[in-house]
Amino acid sequence: SVTDQAFVTLATNDIYCQGALVLGQSLRRHRPTRKLVVLITPQVSSLLRAILSKVFDEIIEVNLIDSADYIHLAFLKRPELGVTLIKLHCWTLTHYSKCVFLDADTLVLSNVDELFDRGEFSAAPDPGWPDCFNSGVFVFQPSLHTHKLLLQHATEHGSFDGADQGLLNSFFRSWSTADIQKHLPFIYNLSTNTTYTYSPAFKQFGSSAKVVHFLGSTKPWNYKYNPQSGSVLEQGSAPSSQHQAAFLNLWWTIYQNNVLPLYQ
Ligand code: UDP
Ligand code: MN
């Protein structure tokens, strides 16, 4: 049923919380029929927790220390797995029957409730290596058993990219071949910094985008924004394409209009 399903995101610090807030408000604009949940870590300030509670139905604090001892040991040897192991905590949300995970650097452009028609594990291809999925948007089914298997997999095999995407791709390795229903269309995870590499396709399909993903090292909150002109400033790290600039401007518009007022 819809009441035991949720959109889930993750923010381990106050900076990523800004992304989570814009994502949450972008979801709300399109009247989601599912709950909104954010996973946070102890580093998130009490101010940001209060703001998050105005947008999300549930805030769940997770802590690496909660992981089993053997995981904790593995983590000490592989500190790069830190955020990865925290992301895996989404499988412990067993009070929900099904969830859609969205990175805090994603932005929702229309209602995406139909994602709940998909099963675990559904995700869109990664633009850099399309036989792998991108782990910024995925459909999953919380289960303590799966969570345990994922942690075991992390301990035994690590992650080939040092992050959740490598780990999840090696765990759900049948994704690329087994079931086409589990391939989400690219419009559910459109990476803004790669759209121009196949610009005829972007011209054809870009306007149907439902979720954009600001993947990579420069996040929307790293740009300077001019509220007068309603656009990100060109100096410094300028957006690499017009499409990217339009999505960045939308991110900042939601930040100005739907997030900043929450601080008052
Ligand atoms: N994340 C976080 N704190 C961090 C790094 C990552 O909370 O310091 C979370 C956040 O939800 C983020 C996701 O993990 O969207 C994946 O990281 P990121 O989006 O930076 O990776 P990319 O999509 O650029 O590969
Ligand atoms: Mn991301």
Side-chain angles (χ1 to χ4, degrees):
S1 77
V2 294
T3 54
D4 68 352
Q5 299 182 341
F7 290 101
V8 179
T9 189
L10 162 69
T12 64
N13 56 50
D14 286 10
I15 306 275
Y16 272 91
C17 282
Q18 308 307 317
L21 286 164
V22 171
L23 165 64
Q25 291 293 53
S26 74
L27 275 161
R28 291 253 178 252
R29 276 157 59 114
H30 303 287
R31 309 249 160 253
T33 56
R34 272 56 170 198
K35 296 274 174 60
L36 304 195
V37 175
V38 60
L39 299 178
I40 60 166
T41 53
Q43 294 93 291
V44 173
S45 70
S46 50
L47 172 64
L48 263 299
R49 287 168 198 238
I51 308 291
L52 285 169
S53 71
K54 298 182 181 182
V55 175
F56 289 88
D57 298 299
E58 202 179 357
I59 302 177
I60 299 173
E61 186 182 276
V62 295
N63 201 330
L64 258 190
I65 312 298
D66 300 340
S67 308
D69 273 356
Y70 69 100
I71 297 300
H72 202 208
L73 281 175
F75 166 68
L76 291 178
K77 282 188 237 149
R78 295 169 174 274
E80 81 281 3
L81 283 177
V83 175
T84 302
L85 295 185
I86 292 169
K87 196 163 178 177
L88 298 184
H89 266 89
C90 67
W91 266 272
T92 68
L93 303 178
T94 52
H95 52 305
Y96 296 109
S97 64
K98 195 192 280 185
C99 298
V100 170
F101 183 91
L102 295 154
D103 265 8
D105 61 343
T106 60
L107 181 66
V108 169
L109 307 179
S110 63
N111 183 290
V112 289
D113 290 347
E114 69 275 15
L115 285 173
F116 290 92
D117 297 341
R118 308 268 176 162
E120 175 170 282
F121 180 95
S122 299
D126 184 78
W129 194 267
D131 290 338
C132 288
F133 55 80
N134 182 278
S135 60
V137 178
F138 59 86
V139 183
F140 71 101
Q141 191 181 336
S143 149
L144 294 182
H145 180 65
T146 309
H147 182 240
K148 192 174 155 204
L149 294 178
L150 279 161
L151 292 181
Q152 257 163 19
H153 194 89
T155 319
E156 285 160 23
H157 308 284
S159 163
F160 69 77
D161 65 358
D164 56 283
Q165 181 156 314
L167 173 68
L168 290 172
N169 269 280
S170 72
F171 187 81
F172 293 106
R173 61 191 165 284
S174 69
W175 173 85
S176 64
T177 53
D179 180 0
I180 196 65
Q181 285 295 7
K182 293 183 175 169
H183 285 234
L184 298 181
F186 196 56
I187 54 165
Y188 289 99
N189 188 346
L190 187 80
S191 6
T192 55
N193 52 355
T194 43
T195 48
Y196 59 89
T197 61
Y198 188 13
S199 61
F202 188 88
K203 284 201 190 89
Q204 183 74 2
F205 306 115
S207 59
S208 337
K210 292 185 178 226
V211 182
V212 294
H213 186 186
F214 299 95
L215 113 184
S217 53
T218 313
K219 300 304 186 195
W221 50 86
N222 298 131
Y223 289 85
K224 292 255 182 328
Y225 177 76
N226 180 346
Q228 254 73 52
S229 68
S231 57
V232 291
L233 298 178
E234 292 298 316
Q235 80 245 30
S237 44
S240 58
S241 71
Q242 273 187 336
H243 321 127
Q244 199 196 358
F247 293 134
L248 277 173
N249 291 342
L250 178 61
W251 190 96
W252 274 97
T253 302
I254 295 174
Y255 186 70
Q256 293 278 323
N257 297 344
N258 305 96
V259 174
L260 284 184
L262 301 174
Y263 286 85
Q264 268 132 45

